[in-house]
Amino acid sequence: MLMKSSTQSLTEQLSARFAERIRNRLLAPGARLPSVRQCAEQNGVSPSTVVAAYDQLLAQGLVEARKNRGFFVRESTPAADHRAGPDGLPADLATESAAANWSTAHWFAARAAGRAGPGVSPVNATALIRGMFHKISDKPQPGMGVFPPDWLESTFMPAAVRKVCSSRNLQEFSLQYGEPLGDAGLRRLLAKKLATLNVHTVPEHIITTVGATHALDIVSRTLLRPGDPVMVEEPGWAVEFARLAAMGMHILPVPRRADGPDLEVMARYCEVHKPKLYVSVSVFHNPTGYCLSPGSAHRILQLANQHDFHVVEDDTYSHIAPEHATRLTALDGLQRTIYVSGFAKILAPNWRIGYLAAPAALVEPLLDTKLLATLTTPALLEKALALCIEQGQLRRHAERIRTRLDAARSRSVKLALQAGCTFAAEPVGLFGWVDTGVDTDALAQRMLDEGYLMAPGALFHAERKPSTLMRINFATTQEAAFWKTYQRVVAAMR
């Protein structure tokens, strides 16, 4: 809220608010700022104050004025300019997350320009990623895709690292590269873990990665070339749409239903486009929470065999999902399927340990791609994780998380219904797919003013379009204060 008693003028406060959001990519390049009249009404200031604030943003090079259309975030702002590195990525974007930030923003910028509704500046995938690193406020964030940090606190992880560091062979594995496939002990334990999900494989067919997103990237870079058609579930994970588009792939969105993908749409894609890959979240699908049915799984594998495409199954939420849930890789036996998962969601986001399990014929090509990108993965953390798994600490930790999540979900669902929301899908897992009855792009921007980062429904589609749906995180929406603010903002929008 703008403060008249502040040492800054109202113009300076308003300009600073927009500038911060633009620099943190909470307003995407190409996004349209609210009209002068709308901005004045939303912030309780005069139109002349808004004009003066926008003039300051123009002077800073953060926005541009387009005749008869309004003010838009510049496609390339001074804070976002970087020296180009390999493959066109800015040279200083060294981490996987930072690269995702850049590619996602770049992709959405091309689609956001001129497409947002009047006065709506979309929150995009980059905003959600950056929200992990730049706190919007001290309030719980409904749009985040991870558990709150206090849920993940543990003593066994630091203890495991200390034990590994004190072992006699520390010097041996820390002064040279790790095993190309990943730590052998961890891969043996992962093979046993997969067997509990009826996914049977051997350690030699498992490759460790720098998180599950890295595993998905390895698969894409190995099996695909620019222009190749790829089927992706819609609604789906915004970063996956952005990542594939940034690689130049032809994205074929497949509507996701409660029992699985729309099989008629998939069959038509197969006949017309000859897709090379299908990307699926079979269990606790993001954002709907849907789980694949055995009948749909069987038909998908029939199409894969008939039309010669691979299936990559992202089982990121396996630690909070039922072991008996239907998984394509279990039914297929890793013939045409590739299994991907990781530990960031349940254990420690910064450990960045993921893995994939693949058909024997693909292991060497996938390993080549890994080695070209990262050489090997951190052996110290992999050995520490293996210790946590072997001693049963990770399993007990996951059980505690599931119990806590069940309680949080019950509270969140009750509050959401009281606030006038309806659930477009049965509330299970970490996320709720909620219908608000208002444009959630506009809602997201207004809630940002209140200190809450939202995940509007348009974010989960390959081509952004207005939506009344939004994804909520059950772990961060169990407080009445958020829902009271939500009700007030929605009432003002109607």
Side-chain angles (χ1 to χ4, degrees):
M1 180 178 294
L2 303 182
M3 304 292 292
K4 291 185 178 180
S5 59
S6 171
T7 55
Q8 287 184 311
S9 68
L10 294 176
T11 295
E12 290 170 333
Q13 292 178 59
L14 187 59
S15 174
R17 174 186 292 180
F18 279 112
E20 181 182 11
R21 291 179 183 177
I22 292 169
R23 292 190 175 105
N24 287 336
R25 295 296 180 94
L26 296 177
L27 290 178
R32 181 182 177 184
L33 271 61
S35 70
V36 170
R37 179 182 59 80
Q38 289 172 326
C39 189
E41 290 176 353
Q42 290 172 12
N43 292 281
V45 296
S46 67
S48 61
T49 297
V50 177
V51 171
Y54 285 1
D55 280 343
Q56 288 187 7
L57 296 172
L58 280 168
Q60 295 174 52
L62 296 175
V63 302
E64 61 185 11
R66 299 179 187 174
K67 189 175 182 180
N68 297 325
R69 294 187 63 193
F71 293 87
F72 292 78
V73 178
R74 283 189 58 201
E75 296 289 347
S76 178
T77 64
D81 288 338
H82 299 272
R83 177 173 53 85
D87 300 324
L89 285 175
D92 58 340
L93 298 186
T95 67
E96 176 193 0
S97 295
N101 285 349
W102 183 87
S103 61
T104 304
H106 180 79
W107 181 69
F108 273 107
R111 286 155 176 76
R115 293 199 181 186
V120 175
S121 304
V123 171
N124 64 8
T126 300
L128 295 184
I129 296 173
R130 286 178 180 266
M132 299 178 190
F133 309 108
H134 303 287
K135 291 185 67 174
I136 307 304
S137 71
D138 291 330
K139 301 172 182 177
Q141 297 303 318
M144 296 297 286
V146 295
F147 288 109
D150 62 296
W151 285 42
L152 302 180
E153 290 177 356
S154 70
T155 57
F156 66 84
M157 287 170 48
V161 173
R162 287 193 297 271
K163 186 169 183 178
V164 170
C165 289
S166 64
S167 64
R168 293 180 179 179
N169 63 346
L170 171 63
Q171 188 172 15
E172 178 184 341
F173 70 75
S174 63
L175 296 181
Q176 59 186 346
Y177 289 114
E179 300 175 62
L181 286 171
D183 181 70
L186 176 59
R187 287 186 289 111
R188 283 193 294 271
L189 290 167
L190 291 175
K192 291 181 180 179
K193 171 182 167 55
L194 287 175
T196 66
L197 306 179
N198 291 315
V199 179
H200 298 286
T201 188
V202 294
E204 293 75 23
H205 295 170
I206 294 175
I207 301 174
T208 64
T209 61
V210 187
T213 304
H214 180 217
L216 291 168
D217 200 58
I218 287 173
V219 173
S220 301
R221 294 183 184 279
T222 303
L223 299 183
L224 303 173
R225 295 295 177 267
D228 281 350
V230 182
M231 294 184 290
V232 185
E233 294 168 335
E234 185 179 63
W237 188 34
V239 173
E240 186 65 8
F241 289 133
R243 191 181 61 77
L244 290 169
M247 293 173 62
M249 304 308 165
H250 179 196
I251 296 177
L252 304 173
V254 181
R256 178 62 189 253
R257 297 175 173 173
D259 62 346
D262 188 320
L263 295 168
E264 291 184 4
V265 171
M266 283 191 73
R268 288 198 298 271
Y269 281 152
C270 290
E271 294 290 343
V272 176
H273 297 286
K274 308 297 182 186
K276 298 292 183 66
L277 190 68
Y278 168 53
V279 183
S280 173
V281 181
S282 301
V283 181
F284 285 172
H285 172 259
N286 179 12
T288 65
Y290 291 146
C291 289
L292 185 67
S293 73
S296 290
H298 179 67
R299 180 59 181 141
I300 291 167
L301 294 174
Q302 283 185 323
L303 287 171
N305 283 308
Q306 181 181 351
H307 296 280
D308 192 27
F309 63 84
H310 283 93
V311 177
V312 57
E313 185 167 49
D314 180 1
D315 201 13
T316 296
Y317 306 100
S318 63
H319 302 285
I320 60 172
E323 291 183 351
H324 64 268
T326 300
R327 290 172 171 85
L328 289 160
T329 40
L331 296 178
D332 175 64
L334 291 172
Q335 297 300 307
R336 286 198 167 272
T337 53
I338 301 166
Y339 181 92
V340 166
S341 191
F343 298 87
K345 288 285 189 294
I346 195 71
L347 191 59
N350 205 28
W351 273 31
R352 308 305 305 144
I353 298 179
Y355 65 99
L356 61 86
L362 290 181
V363 171
E364 287 303 317
L366 291 167
L367 179 59
D368 285 345
T369 303
K370 171 188 173 178
L371 295 177
L372 286 172
T374 63
L375 296 181
T376 57
T377 41
L380 188 152
L381 294 180
E382 290 184 353
K383 288 180 180 296
L385 175 59
L387 193 61
C388 295
I389 296 174
E390 191 171 33
Q391 295 181 348
Q393 294 158 328
L394 180 61
R395 175 182 53 78
R396 292 191 292 273
H397 174 70
E399 289 173 353
R400 289 192 293 269
I401 293 288
R402 286 196 295 270
T403 299
R404 192 169 182 177
L405 178 60
D406 288 343
R409 187 188 309 112
S410 178
R411 288 191 291 269
S412 181
V413 168
K414 183 178 179 180
L415 288 168
L417 294 174
Q418 290 175 349
C421 293
T422 58
F423 281 85
E426 180 186 357
V428 295
L430 178 59
F431 301 125
W433 194 226
V434 176
D435 196 335
T436 66
V438 299
D439 181 351
T440 48
D441 263 340
L443 174 63
Q445 283 304 311
R446 296 199 179 197
M447 291 298 289
L448 203 57
D449 291 336
E450 304 288 343
Y452 293 106
L453 181 64
M454 311 291 287
L459 185 63
F460 299 93
H461 288 76
E463 289 291 340
R464 193 176 189 109
K465 55 186 177 182
S467 174
T468 60
L469 295 167
M470 70 175 180
R471 187 194 74 181
I472 61 171
N473 182 326
F474 289 127
T476 56
T477 53
Q478 52 176 322
E479 294 184 2
F482 161 72
W483 291 105
K484 287 179 181 178
T485 302
Y486 164 85
Q487 282 183 285
R488 173 169 53 80
V489 171
V490 168
M493 292 177 63
R494 286 177 171 157

